[in-house]
Amino acid sequence: MKHSNRFLALLLALMMVFSLAACGGDTTTDDTAADDTTSDTTTDDAAETPEETPEETPEEEAPALALTAETYIPEPGDGALYTVTETADGWIMIENQDGETLGLSPNSGVHVVEADGYAFKDLNQNGELDPYEDWRLSSEERAENLISLMQGSEMAAILAHGGWGDFTTDPLTADDGSATYLQAGGRGGVTRNIGRGGGDHAKWANAIQAVAESCYYGIPAMISIDPANISGMIETVSLAATMDPELAAEIGNETAKQYRAAGVTALLGPQVDIASPTMSRAGGTYGEDPQLTLDIATAYVNAMQSTYAEDGTDLGWGDESVYCFTKHYAGAGATEGGRDDHHVSARYAVFPGDNLEAHLITYFDGVFSLPGLTGSSGIMTQYSVNVDGEGNPYGGEELAGAYNAYMYGMLDEFGYDSLKITDWGIFTFAGVWGAEDLASEAERIAFGWEQGVELLGGYGTMETVAEAYNVLVERNGQEAADEIVSHAAYNYILVMMNLNMFDQPYSDSAYADEIISTGEASEFGLETQRQSVVMLKNDGTIAAAEGESTEKPTVYVPYVYNTGFSVSWMGGVSEGTPSWTPGMDLEVLGQYFNVVTDTLGDPSGEADADGNATYTKDDLTRATAEEIAACDYILVGMSNPYLISYYDGYLSAWDYMEAYQNGTLFSEDDYWFPPNLQYGEYTADTARDPSISGMIIDGEKQNRSYKGNTAAAVPNYGDLEALQYADSVAGDIPVIVSMKMDRGMVWSEVEPMADVILACYNSQRTEVVAEIILGQTEPNGLLVFQQPASMEAVEAQLEDVPRDMECYTDAAGNTYDFAFGMNWSGVIDDERVATYSADPISELQNFDYDAYAASYVAPDAE
């Protein structure tokens, strides 16, 4: 207890001195964020969501850190059954005979204690071997012991999962906010820096763990990450396009090895939402089919979480395991109009087909019952409120996923008890739906804990976490409050015990570089890319190569124009900066072809905010018809058209709470724009009216219908203009379209002008596209989204019902339906197609959803 009091005093002192306020950093998510620099998608949550991190302390005020202990290198005594080695990265490796290998910072203040000749880390620095420090005991026994040593406020503190400070600053020598956060008890956060190099990231992670080891019982830090395909391995929809669960397992296994080598212990993913055609984050999913998502996700998560022997034997949790927070539990793919669920405009996910059960399949029949030895994944909750076809919330309470008793009740009924984390911003600006009227962030955190929240995703303001614990005590009493936080803390500690982080949290930077950055890793990543490209059309232009050619063909690649216009939950509506870019990577393409392209002049448009001139459409000179006539192919690199549904008063999420409290969030005159999956403008004459979803404002339900309204042409309409120019000058030259996609699109604008169409989900690897054109790589991928016949077909589709849309049929008579794709022989018709083109599944096998729904009684709202 003396030890606990000492740390409580430290916590309170730090809370008085430091303000660990959120700072806006972005990522992909996912979760989205501006996108991890290593990812080809913008789907991750943390990646899309500004992380809440400790406020950076001005350099001149940087406090001295606690890591001032003299360098300590253990000296084994007589009869010792362990050896000690100082590693090249500076941490100490202690190898016990027939026992655990330990990792120890020489400056953390933690020493070794001996028992029966073996070495153990004295993590709480009390000179004794406590059960939680004894690697001979089970993870459960160790976790239970540590919980018994902690006070409620300490357990609450370790549930924060914000972020870290400046990656370039070593928290061991100058506090960038990370050390302060750790010393106040924060133990989790998302990294977006792995793309800077596996070895550098490993060194940074080691510094984080050294601070963690020095304080708060030596509890290690959980460093999480959004999907970041760091060596080029495919993920999300591109992985789903292979329809190969065995490949998913192989990629999951390799990804886990790379993450752990770099010091990452948890994945904020995979994203298993069953995506509607218009879903804003569709590119981060495994597509729209429950069975395919179930199979790919289960294989991937099972492989991520297990460590394997050299002969392939599943060892369960181990040094190469990464814990997965499968997301977004559950139903986030069904937002009305596909609106971005970070934003209040997507406050609701709608289920007009009464098909919520289908959106639960991946969880209850999949990642909650893994075939390996790790049992179950964790989960990340969703933002939206699930409502039926009449707009009534399931369970009777209009509460977002993090607060929703109906959704948590299913977990309890099933017996699920793995770690739960919220999505980012839940207590401040996004997914706070239903809890807006609580007076403070602390009250919302306390309410979340009461409902079922465990880790506070994206939240690192430690004084507010402490305040939330006090609110929890006031509302429930000390015993009940401590039971709530102790259960959550136990789940966190158990995960970190299972990952062996208490005994050996350090990474080998040289190994991290070797496993992530070598040619072998990159080649495997490229090979996975080769298996994911979907060929939709081929009039005979490309075929398997016959022998090797010594001459490079010549190809014309047009530039494409983008207006820069964007609508995002982070920035609201922005006119952006216009740009001209080549449709493909010309440097890489030049390794395979002689390249002809357009000529871009100097920008002649109005100056931007920084005073730099911007591009106009007149600043580009197209290659002439004569130049193009000498080419063997025309290759038009495009991206699928997409604009989310939004309204003319669309605010950034940061402005949400103020507008809500002031009653200025919406106006009855708001103009709701339709989503757009075609390049040209679209008038939604057949859209739903009234909308299913809508807030109650001044006693009346808001109508979010956009029927009769017009969506503007998409910002990348210039992609279509490039194709139109190519078609106008092509003559007999084959026109090949390489389409970077993250969803379905209306092909009637594009397909008639193309002789060949290659669909590249999420990433457009120029090498792979070139190899397919030259006949060196055979296309193998299959569509994971139906491709709509028209925008009217999109409007007729029910958001919660997979594969219920009229699909586009091309000039050759092929229908671009789910599981369609072509290879050299024509339309693919293999075992994958037979398996996944069956009718979509909609009923759970491992959980009686109907019985649960019929017997559910909403808790007292108070």
Side-chain angles (χ1 to χ4, degrees), residues 325-349:
F325 290 103
T326 311
K327 62 188 184 186
H328 305 88
Y329 176 78
T335 55
E336 191 166 25
R339 298 173 185 128
D340 188 336
D341 61 352
H342 293 88
H343 195 272
V344 66
S345 63
R347 182 185 182 100
Y348 305 96

Side-chain angles (χ1 to χ4, degrees), residues 277-296:
T278 56
M279 180 193 181
S280 65
R281 292 200 271 175
T285 72
Y286 292 133
E288 63 173 309
D289 184 73
Q291 184 69 62
L292 177 63
T293 301
L294 170 71
D295 292 348
I296 297 293

Side-chain angles (χ1 to χ4, degrees), residues 35-114:
D35 194 14
D36 190 307
T37 56
T38 62
S39 176
D40 290 315
T41 68
T42 54
T43 58
D44 204 239
D45 294 277
E48 295 185 327
T49 310
E51 59 189 90
E52 302 221 15
T53 70
E55 186 177 83
E56 292 188 17
T57 307
E59 185 173 347
E60 64 274 15
E61 299 178 10
L65 300 183
L67 297 188
T68 57
E70 293 183 3
T71 298
Y72 167 71
I73 300 178
E75 294 185 5
D78 294 339
L81 300 177
Y82 62 92
T83 58
V84 176
T85 306
E86 186 173 2
T87 69
D89 287 311
W91 54 272
I92 308 301
M93 181 170 63
I94 303 165
E95 297 174 280
N96 286 290
Q97 295 180 24
D98 302 319
E100 285 293 335
T101 295
L102 310 181
L104 179 69
S105 167
N107 304 110
S108 67
V110 170
H111 287 203
V112 161
V113 293
E114 290 190 13

Side-chain angles (χ1 to χ4, degrees), residues 676-838:
N676 199 357
L677 275 66
Q678 64 183 35
Y679 289 100
E681 67 177 26
Y682 160 66
T683 300
D685 292 328
T686 62
R688 179 186 293 141
D689 188 18
S691 62
I692 293 173
S693 64
M695 296 176 66
I696 303 300
I697 302 176
D698 296 331
E700 294 187 9
K701 182 178 176 181
Q702 174 193 33
N703 185 3
R704 300 182 173 193
S705 174
Y706 46 75
K707 185 174 183 178
N709 295 348
T710 299
V714 297
N716 60 322
Y717 185 82
D719 291 21
L720 180 61
E721 293 176 317
L723 177 61
Q724 290 168 337
Y725 176 74
D727 179 64
S728 71
V729 297
D732 295 330
I733 302 171
V735 176
I736 301 169
V737 168
S738 177
M739 183 71 71
K740 181 181 178 182
M741 298 177 62
D742 61 6
R743 65 187 67 250
M745 58 173 280
V746 177
W747 284 95
S748 56
E749 298 171 306
V750 173
E751 180 270 326
M753 292 184 283
D755 299 299
V756 177
I757 300 174
L758 303 175
C760 306
Y761 279 121
N762 278 342
S763 62
Q764 201 170 40
R765 288 295 293 267
T766 303
E767 306 96 312
V768 176
V769 171
E771 290 172 358
I772 292 174
I773 293 171
L774 296 175
Q776 299 169 2
T777 292
E778 184 172 19
N780 184 60
L782 301 168
L783 287 175
V784 297
F785 294 104
Q786 291 182 313
Q787 305 296 302
S790 62
M791 280 304 301
E792 288 72 20
V794 175
E795 296 294 354
Q797 190 266 345
L798 300 181
E799 287 88 341
D800 61 323
V801 178
R803 296 165 46 197
D804 65 336
M805 191 163 56
E806 179 189 359
C807 297
Y808 180 78
T809 299
D810 70 10
N814 291 320
T815 300
Y816 295 177
D817 204 345
F818 179 85
F820 172 77
M822 302 180 71
N823 57 21
W824 301 143
S825 301
V827 176
I828 298 173
D829 186 16
D830 57 15
E831 184 178 351
R832 299 173 301 160
V833 176
T835 298
Y836 293 114
S837 62

Side-chain angles (χ1 to χ4, degrees), residues 26-36 39-50 190-192 224-228 235-236 259 267-271 273 280-285 325 327-328 340-342 380 383 423-424 569-570:
D26 59 25
T27 110
T28 126
T29 114
D30 170 251
D31 148 90
T32 223
D35 194 14
D36 190 307
S39 176
D40 290 315
T41 68
T42 54
T43 58
D44 204 239
D45 294 277
E48 295 185 327
T49 310
V190 62
T191 177
R192 304 194 181 99
S224 64
I225 194 170
D226 279 298
E235 295 176 330
T236 63
Y259 284 168
L267 173 68
L268 301 174
Q271 183 182 342
D273 305 319
S280 65
R281 292 200 271 175
T285 72
F325 290 103
K327 62 188 184 186
H328 305 88
D340 188 336
D341 61 352
H342 293 88
M380 176 186 284
Y383 287 118
D423 212 327
W424 267 227
W569 67 269
M570 292 179 68

Side-chain angles (χ1 to χ4, degrees), residues 360-399:
L360 303 171
I361 288 173
T362 297
Y363 295 96
F364 292 94
D365 291 347
V367 297
F368 291 172
S369 304
L370 295 171
L373 301 178
T374 62
S376 173
S377 80
I379 60 167
M380 176 186 284
T381 57
Q382 72 180 83
Y383 287 118
S384 301
V385 181
N386 292 335
V387 300
D388 63 20
E390 302 301 317
N392 301 310
Y394 286 97
E397 294 183 295
E398 186 170 314
L399 289 168

Side-chain angles (χ1 to χ4, degrees), residues 530-543:
R530 294 184 177 108
Q531 298 184 52
S532 68
V533 177
V534 185
M535 185 162 67
L536 297 178
K537 183 178 182 180
N538 182 17
D539 68 349
T541 294
I542 57 178

Side-chain angles (χ1 to χ4, degrees), residues 365-636:
D365 291 347
V367 297
F368 291 172
S369 304
L370 295 171
L373 301 178
T374 62
S376 173
S377 80
I379 60 167
M380 176 186 284
T381 57
Q382 72 180 83
Y383 287 118
S384 301
V385 181
N386 292 335
V387 300
D388 63 20
E390 302 301 317
N392 301 310
Y394 286 97
E397 294 183 295
E398 186 170 314
L399 289 168
Y403 305 101
N404 196 283
Y406 184 78
M407 299 304 295
Y408 284 128
M410 276 185 263
L411 301 178
D412 295 338
E413 185 81 8
F414 183 73
Y416 174 85
D417 194 25
S418 286
L419 195 56
K420 303 184 288 287
I421 191 171
T422 71
D423 212 327
W424 267 227
I426 290 297
F427 311 109
T428 51
F429 59 85
V432 68
W433 330 135
E436 298 101 327
D437 292 331
L438 293 175
S440 66
E441 292 177 20
E443 290 187 359
R444 288 192 284 273
I445 292 171
F447 178 53
W449 277 333
E450 291 168 344
Q451 296 293 87
V453 166
E454 292 183 335
L455 297 188
L456 312 178
Y459 204 87
T461 309
M462 297 304 293
E463 65 268 30
T464 307
V465 175
E467 182 184 350
Y469 171 73
N470 292 334
V471 172
L472 194 68
V473 172
E474 292 170 5
R475 288 167 56 106
N476 299 276
Q478 186 78 50
E479 183 176 352
D482 285 354
E483 183 177 348
I484 290 171
V485 295
S486 68
H487 184 78
Y490 171 84
N491 279 349
Y492 171 79
I493 291 167
L494 182 62
V495 165
M496 300 304 280
M497 287 286 184
N498 284 336
L499 295 172
N500 199 33
M501 290 296 289
F502 275 81
D503 297 318
Q504 208 310 71
Y506 298 101
S507 299
D508 180 334
S509 63
Y511 174 69
D513 275 334
E514 176 185 344
I515 193 173
I516 294 169
S517 306
T518 63
E520 183 177 346
S522 298
E523 181 53 38
F524 176 69
L526 190 59
E527 180 55 37
T528 66
Q529 296 278 347
R530 294 184 177 108
Q531 298 184 52
S532 68
V533 177
V534 185
M535 185 162 67
L536 297 178
K537 183 178 182 180
N538 182 17
D539 68 349
T541 294
I542 57 178
E546 297 180 2
E548 293 188 10
S549 174
T550 58
E551 295 186 6
K552 285 184 178 181
T554 300
V555 61
Y556 166 58
V557 180
Y559 273 62
V560 295
Y561 182 77
N562 193 297
T563 66
F565 176 84
S566 68
V567 181
S568 79
W569 67 269
M570 292 179 68
V573 177
S574 171
E575 294 303 321
T577 303
S579 63
W580 278 106
T581 54
M584 303 290 293
D585 186 323
L586 300 182
E587 182 176 353
V588 173
L589 205 62
Q591 300 172 24
Y592 300 85
F593 300 95
N594 298 311
V595 178
V596 174
T597 190
D598 305 319
T599 301
L600 180 62
D602 294 329
S604 62
E606 294 182 358
D608 61 17
D610 297 324
N612 300 315
T614 59
Y615 281 109
T616 72
K617 283 194 172 183
D618 296 331
D619 294 330
L620 186 91
T621 303
R622 294 287 186 192
T624 65
E626 291 75 16
E627 291 173 315
I628 296 170
C631 295
D632 298 288
Y633 307 106
I634 296 173
L635 175 57
V636 184

